[in-house]
Amino acid sequence: MTMTTATPNTATPNTATWNDPAVREGYALIAQRGPFVYGLTNYIAANLSANVLLAAGAGPAIGAASDWVTTFPAGASAVWINTASLMSSGEESLRAVARTAFEAGTPWVLDPVAVGAGAVEYDNFVRSLLEFRPAAIRGNASELIALAGGQATGKGVETTVDSSAAVAVVAEFAAKAGAVVAVSGPVDYISDGSRTVEVPGGDVRLTRVTGAGCALGALTAASIFAVGDAFQGAVVSHAAYAVAAERAGVRTRGTGSFAVALVDELSLLNEDA
Amino acid sequence: MTMTTATPNTATPNTATWNDPAVREGYALIAQRGPFVYGLTNYIAANLSANVLLAAGAGPAIGAASDWVTTFPAGASAVWINTASLMSSGEESLRAVARTAFEAGTPWVLDPVAVGAGAVEYDNFVRSLLEFRPAAIRGNASELIALAGGQATGKGVETTVDSSAAVAVVAEFAAKAGAVVAVSGPVDYISDGSRTVEVPGGDVRLTRVTGAGCALGALTAASIFAVGDAFQGAVVSHAAYAVAAERAGVRTRGTGSFAVALVDELSLLNEDA
Amino acid sequence: MTMTTATPNTATPNTATWNDPAVREGYALIAQRGPFVYGLTNYIAANLSANVLLAAGAGPAIGAASDWVTTFPAGASAVWINTASLMSSGEESLRAVARTAFEAGTPWVLDPVAVGAGAVEYDNFVRSLLEFRPAAIRGNASELIALAGGQATGKGVETTVDSSAAVAVVAEFAAKAGAVVAVSGPVDYISDGSRTVEVPGGDVRLTRVTGAGCALGALTAASIFAVGDAFQGAVVSHAAYAVAAERAGVRTRGTGSFAVALVDELSLLNEDA
């Protein structure tokens, strides 16, 4: 399938969309396998993230309640950590989840939301989680450039640069971190260091729904488990999200309805197959 | 009314639905009495739980902010504790709320979400709250079987067994715990140990909306106060939820719209009367 | 423009609505300036608050994650603190945000949710934040009367008195606190001590959507920055909210759809201009 073709970093990336049978099949595998996906995320995005996972057919659990942090990541199919979960959990909780997932061999996704926005301690903590080897890292362009060591600075959780500015950085950072790296934007770019795929589409209102990016990180964890591969899993989740956003965009105007329709469309995507 | 008829444990349970005048009247009492319902819950379900309470006509407050935990449970009409609130509050906060409610005579509902899913410390803490004598305990089949001392294990917050598998356990556990026990599933079962009522209906998408079960726990607290009885209160909340879900299911397809419509229908139920 | 006309406290307040060109222009400035608005709020209201800010064209970040509390308030355009954020953050975090905003000259909005409802430690903490000189304080009538030193007591987060009962208190309290004070209700009243404006309209369902008031506090922070004035900013946010609620009310019946439509309408308001 297109999305697995190796592409030199310097060449034009291949494109993946919902029209690729492999993308549809990968997304359908989430519902077929019904993975238990455990995550720590911020409380702004938690509800949407869980509903996105449920829409796709995964079973989510979220939060650092008691010894969930040392037990659930081992039993889970996949894990995600959105580092803004520090707003309700201590650093030791995030570290416990990352370590437990790493030691158990559970693939996990790192979402370094707001890294590079000016909070130095926070940024250092986010970077320290890389030692637990996430299978994938997703964020917007500002975040990924900052995490890769560049100077781009975000405005809180918003990016100040376009995803295309991050393409070169993404492939290099993926190779260095040994992880799949996915940058969200008008076009998404996904790289494992040797291959880069672009995912067009989506809807500009994705940037006006809080937690839409965070929820994509959760979905990426589910699809990595479902397809059994971090790179293809990230392509599947991003392409599914893009088409769901497009369809939601067609039938809504305001941003409130768009958010609801996004979940709707994700829950109905498998009817295409 | 049907729902108060005593039924031996071994007999077929009586059925309660929205068609029962006593159910409608009980639900209407929530709006008429406008109870102040205080709860601790997880931040994934908090928003939906509050909106469900507001839809029914109750006034919710949620969270362990400062001395709310030692003052609000005494002044409240009813209380609920979803033990996954440990993700943002310490054990002492949950215990303070349970103890304060118990000592003040405020009826409270225990929602032991994810108990039995493999986190032993968490499970032990959840069980320790039983000493504060909840008026009702609600959960899915895996959770209630686990809390009752059985071996069923959940997959995070999801159940792995059907509610019908929990019927026998529910009545026995209700008698032992001295609480009304309600198990949610394709059919809900509610027992006080001597009587068991089944509530059919609902919609399978309730399992695909995060926090739908948790919000039912909150609504149960409100209706226990409104009707002045834990058993009948639980029957009222479950039957109202079931019909609201059915109506929401008729007019929506995706899971995002379904969640919105569920709240809508709860807010409009009293127009039936 | 009408909303800046000085009105003696004893006179009938002037009225501001969406029909005032200055209100429309002020609201449009939010999207034009795209302020970064940082806040601490409770996790029940966090999602709606962020979506309201995004709908208006602001870029929100929420939460006390690591050193966000000492860095973001200095870099932000505006800040809001909903004191129920104590449910997931310590008092020192709220104080750090207030102090940092104060010292950096970043205007900030205080939302003293549930003050006066019976939790004395909580109430005292809320009052202690006044030393950091919020630009504006918003709440319902019970909260503002309690914060001003009166005896009105809320029922959890609900008011027990009408906003009109707070008018006299509001102007006096504004003068004393050196802040703009805005009380939400069937009619909203906004005062800086010498001028009082009333904002009619809205929809009664605003009281049945959790966090609707909290989100208005966030929007007020954004509009204070956008228009460069605390009084006019509060008038703009309240008048925009009122018309968005009216429009949402026309096209929905249930409270779930109403909440979604409220965000929709806020995201479409600038199409009027």
Side-chain angles (χ1 to χ4, degrees), chain B residues 131-160:
Chain B
E131 75 170 291
F132 300 113
R133 304 294 301 269
I137 304 167
R138 79 145 295 282
N140 64 35
S142 285
E143 291 156 357
L144 292 176
I145 292 171
L147 191 61
Q151 295 296 320
T153 54
K155 197 174 67 172
V157 301
E158 311 293 315
T159 188
T160 56

Side-chain angles (χ1 to χ4, degrees), chain A residues 148-208:
Chain A
Q151 295 297 319
T153 54
K155 195 174 67 170
V157 303
E158 311 292 314
T159 189
T160 56
V161 294
D162 188 89
S163 55
S164 60
V167 185
V169 173
V170 159
E172 197 179 307
F173 181 44
K176 187 174 149 197
V180 168
V181 175
V183 57
S184 299
V187 174
D188 301 334
Y189 297 93
I190 299 159
S191 180
D192 66 358
S194 60
R195 296 169 292 176
T196 299
V197 162
E198 66 175 40
V199 177
D203 188 288
V204 70
R205 278 166 288 181
L206 281 174
T207 64
R208 298 183 69 193

Side-chain angles (χ1 to χ4, degrees), chain A residues 65-71, chain B residues 86 91 115 118-128:
Chain A
S66 188
D67 57 342
W68 290 16
V69 294
T70 51
T71 54
Chain B
L86 282 173
E91 294 187 356
V115 76
V120 175
E121 285 176 36
Y122 174 78
D123 291 1
N124 288 338
F125 175 74
V126 173
R127 282 194 192 91
S128 76

